[in-house]
Amino acid sequence: MKIGIIDCGGANLNSIYYSFKRINIKSYISNSLFELEKMDALILPGVGTAGVVMNKLKENDLINLIQETTKPTLGICIGMQILFDYSEEDDTNCLGIIEGVVKKLKPNKDIKVPQMGWNKVITNVDNIGGYYYFANSYYTDNDDYAVGHSYYGKKINSIVKKDNFLGCQFHPEKSSDIGEKFIKNFINLV
């Protein structure tokens, strides 16, 4: 089994790579269409901004690959957000795989933006509920494809699923044992 970690300008590529290495799964960091087409599953990593990530995907001619793939594909943080139609961040048209808009969190007396730290994920999917590490300023709240949610001033989607696409707003690669369990559950889809 080979996992393709798509290099789309994010900063957490190595932490994702090492999270797969810890569970003895081969993963490869690449922005090459030729190489990524050979992978069994794809990861859209999660540190960056919507505009930068979408521009990198366009530059590397990866938009169609992602939109048309039937391979299991995991979007992490910004990688999840770009699965949607549009992001308020950088006024960005995204991949349009999942209907909805990514919105900016509004700070108030109860919440700081960005959300940084551990938050509870509530889901009815076996073995993946619990506390995960979040680092985000944007969120989605379209429940049509949500299979997990969290509360941060309001209810936000923490896990979405549509067909072969799975997205998580949190960072499983930074979420200790439960994050490793989440990654193993994703691998079971491959």
Side-chain angles (χ1 to χ4, degrees):
M1 174 186 325
K2 297 187 292 186
I3 307 296
I5 302 168
I6 300 173
D7 182 354
C8 45
N12 68 330
L13 298 171
N14 284 329
S15 58
I16 294 171
Y17 171 82
Y18 284 109
S19 67
F20 282 103
K21 187 172 184 173
R22 280 192 299 276
I23 59 172
N24 296 314
I25 301 291
K26 290 187 179 192
S27 65
Y28 303 87
I29 298 169
S30 179
N31 61 7
S32 161
L33 177 63
F34 178 74
E35 289 177 2
L36 292 167
E37 286 177 327
K38 296 177 184 178
M39 299 296 136
D40 299 308
L42 300 172
I43 307 291
L44 285 163
V47 174
T49 66
V52 168
V53 169
M54 288 303 299
N55 284 336
K56 289 284 184 188
L57 292 175
K58 286 176 194 167
E59 285 173 19
N60 293 306
D61 197 27
L62 297 175
I63 300 283
N64 288 341
L65 169 75
I66 298 164
Q67 288 174 328
E68 296 171 7
T69 191
T70 57
K71 299 174 185 183
T73 301
L74 173 61
I76 298 172
C77 197
I78 189 67
M80 177 189 102
Q81 293 173 7
I82 64 166
L83 295 175
F84 285 81
D85 293 318
Y86 172 81
S87 177
E88 291 179 356
E89 185 176 34
D90 302 328
D91 187 27
T92 304
N93 290 318
C94 297
L95 294 169
I97 293 165
I98 299 176
E99 295 80 17
V101 173
V102 177
K103 304 169 189 171
K104 183 159 180 63
L105 286 167
K106 306 286 190 244
N108 61 41
K109 63 180 175 62
D110 297 320
I111 68 164
K112 293 180 180 178
V113 176
Q115 172 184 203
M116 296 289 291
W118 297 84
N119 198 348
K120 187 174 185 179
V121 173
I122 301 162
T123 180
N124 59 5
V125 179
D126 290 342
N127 300 323
I128 62 170
Y131 285 86
Y132 290 86
Y133 189 81
F134 287 74
N136 61 297
S137 298
Y138 291 82
Y139 72 99
T140 66
D141 59 2
N142 176 354
D143 285 337
D144 292 347
Y145 299 98
V147 294
H149 64 274
S150 301
Y151 290 92
Y152 194 69
K154 63 177 75 206
K155 182 179 170 184
I156 63 171
N157 294 333
S158 45
I159 306 172
V160 295
K161 182 168 184 355
K162 181 180 180 186
D163 303 325
N164 55 304
F165 292 92
L166 181 66
C168 57
Q169 184 59 71
F170 52 84
H171 288 269
E173 78 280 8
K174 296 180 184 284
S175 296
S176 191
D177 293 342
I178 196 165
E180 188 172 293
K181 187 185 292 187
F182 183 87
I183 289 169
K184 285 178 181 176
N185 281 349
F186 170 71
I187 293 303
N188 289 335
L189 299 174
V190 180

